[in-house]
Amino acid sequence: MQDRPPLVLVTADVKELDTYRWHATVSTYINAVAVGAGAIPVILPSLGDAIDVDAVLDRVDGVLVTGSRSNVHPSNYEVEETDDFAPFDRERDMTTLPLIAQAVERAVPLFVICRGFQELNVAFGGTLATEIQRLPGRLDHRAPQSDDHDVRFALAHDVTLKDDSVIAGIVGSNTIRVNSLHRQAVDRLADMLVLEGTAPDGTVEAVRVRDAKGFAIGVQWHPEYWVTSDEPSKRLFKAFGDAVRERQRLNHPGISDSPGSQAAE
């Protein structure tokens, strides 16, 4: 039997840097896939229609949709664009929205984080609110002003998980402490999604895909940053990795995990 670590597709942002256009992913996400999920990360460029999503999904065992400084363009959920919604990455939108829908349809394990969490909601017909710190009764969910990422990604507030939620089962608790680095949030939750957890102000923080045939969960916070030290973050990526390996076994019965492909304990 051949050994091969599973492959996880990781989404990319389009960035202008050094007079070039780059398709890039923050290192914390690819490290979390490698260390936390025990898989090989493969970055998917945001090329929109130039990519055959089905052909890509034929070749991978899971999908991680990452966070980003950019926001989903409001035209994707029939809201008029204003400066409050910027910045945008239309090329990413054109890639990730169909990718998410197809991954769910094909039962490819799917884990979405931050912008990816908002993309999941939009992909299935939900809407987003922007600058939520201005709304009555809402907390300020933006990151602290600091050049130190440990400060920016510090655990900031509790999330209360529903008793019957998939995520509560994974992390082993109904209350966990999470970080917070967003100014947009779910407004109307898509019918395809099930609420799993909320912040103290009612902001939607965790969901699962309703009646999903495979692993399909999303969180508004950033478990990738503390995957080696925070127990709930470890458990989330381990659960994702377990689902990815199960998908690999079902699709490629002649392939087994290599010793280095298990998630870190």
Side-chain angles (χ1 to χ4, degrees), residues 212-229:
K213 295 176 286 185
F215 184 99
I217 65 170
V219 298
Q220 180 61 76
W221 67 91
H222 288 268
E224 80 287 348
Y225 192 83
W226 300 109
V227 71
T228 61
S229 59

Side-chain angles (χ1 to χ4, degrees), residues 11-12 14 23 44-51 53 89-101 119:
T11 54
V14 179
H23 294 253
L44 176 71
S46 289
L47 296 175
D49 291 341
I51 291 177
V53 170
D89 186 341
R90 300 295 296 271
E91 290 161 287
R92 171 165 166 154
D93 294 347
M94 290 186 292
T95 306
T96 54
L97 297 178
L99 173 69
I100 288 168
E119 287 167 312

Side-chain angles (χ1 to χ4, degrees), residues 82-120:
T82 68
D83 290 343
D84 282 348
F85 289 93
F88 304 120
D89 186 341
R90 300 295 296 271
E91 290 161 287
R92 171 165 166 154
D93 294 347
M94 290 186 292
T95 306
T96 54
L97 297 178
L99 173 69
I100 288 168
Q102 282 300 101
V104 170
E105 175 64 27
R106 296 184 52 170
V108 177
L110 176 70
F111 189 16
V112 301
I113 294 171
C114 193
R115 187 196 209 268
F117 177 78
Q118 296 171 13
E119 287 167 312
L120 175 69

Side-chain angles (χ1 to χ4, degrees), residues 100 104 110 112 116-126 186 188-196 204 206-211 216-218:
I100 288 168
V104 170
L110 176 70
V112 301
F117 177 78
Q118 296 171 13
E119 287 167 312
L120 175 69
N121 191 49
V122 171
F124 289 112
V186 168
R188 186 179 64 79
L189 187 65
D191 292 341
M192 278 277 291
L193 303 183
V194 178
L195 178 65
E196 292 248 315
V204 177
V207 299
R208 71 178 185 270
V209 176
R210 189 182 305 277
D211 300 324
I217 65 170

Side-chain angles (χ1 to χ4, degrees), residues 42-58:
V42 179
I43 298 174
L44 176 71
S46 289
L47 296 175
D49 291 341
I51 291 177
D52 183 337
V53 170
D54 279 318
V56 173
L57 292 176
D58 284 343

Side-chain angles (χ1 to χ4, degrees), residues 65-248:
V65 186
T66 67
S68 174
R69 288 186 182 273
S70 69
N71 294 316
V72 182
H73 196 276
S75 63
N76 289 298
Y77 46 98
E78 299 182 350
V79 169
E80 184 177 353
E81 174 188 340
T82 68
D83 290 343
D84 282 348
F85 289 93
F88 304 120
D89 186 341
R90 300 295 296 271
E91 290 161 287
R92 171 165 166 154
D93 294 347
M94 290 186 292
T95 306
T96 54
L97 297 178
L99 173 69
I100 288 168
Q102 282 300 101
V104 170
E105 175 64 27
R106 296 184 52 170
V108 177
L110 176 70
F111 189 16
V112 301
I113 294 171
C114 193
R115 187 196 209 268
F117 177 78
Q118 296 171 13
E119 287 167 312
L120 175 69
N121 191 49
V122 171
F124 289 112
T127 63
L128 305 175
T130 195
E131 303 295 357
I132 61 169
Q133 71 278 358
R134 299 177 187 168
L135 300 177
R138 291 294 188 98
L139 300 173
D140 189 343
H141 287 261
R142 295 174 298 179
Q145 293 294 317
S146 176
D147 293 330
D148 183 341
H149 285 310
D150 283 357
V151 173
R152 297 185 69 248
F153 285 85
L155 303 184
H157 66 74
D158 288 344
V159 165
T160 301
L161 299 167
K162 291 184 173 293
D163 291 341
D164 61 348
S165 67
V166 170
I167 294 175
I170 291 171
V171 301
S173 176
N174 290 99
T175 304
I176 58 174
R177 194 81 176 161
V178 305
N179 46 30
S180 189
L181 295 92
H182 62 104
R183 58 187 180 86
Q184 293 203 147
V186 168
D187 185 8
R188 186 179 64 79
L189 187 65
D191 292 341
M192 278 277 291
L193 303 183
V194 178
L195 178 65
E196 292 248 315
T198 55
D201 63 354
T203 297
V204 177
E205 291 277 346
V207 299
R208 71 178 185 270
V209 176
R210 189 182 305 277
D211 300 324
K213 295 176 286 185
F215 184 99
I217 65 170
V219 298
Q220 180 61 76
W221 67 91
H222 288 268
E224 80 287 348
Y225 192 83
W226 300 109
V227 71
T228 61
S229 59
D230 175 62
E231 189 62 29
S233 300
K234 288 182 182 180
R235 291 188 179 200
L236 285 168
F237 271 94
K238 183 181 184 302
F240 178 50
D242 290 345
V244 165
R245 281 181 285 280
E246 179 61 22
R247 172 78 177 184
Q248 181 193 44

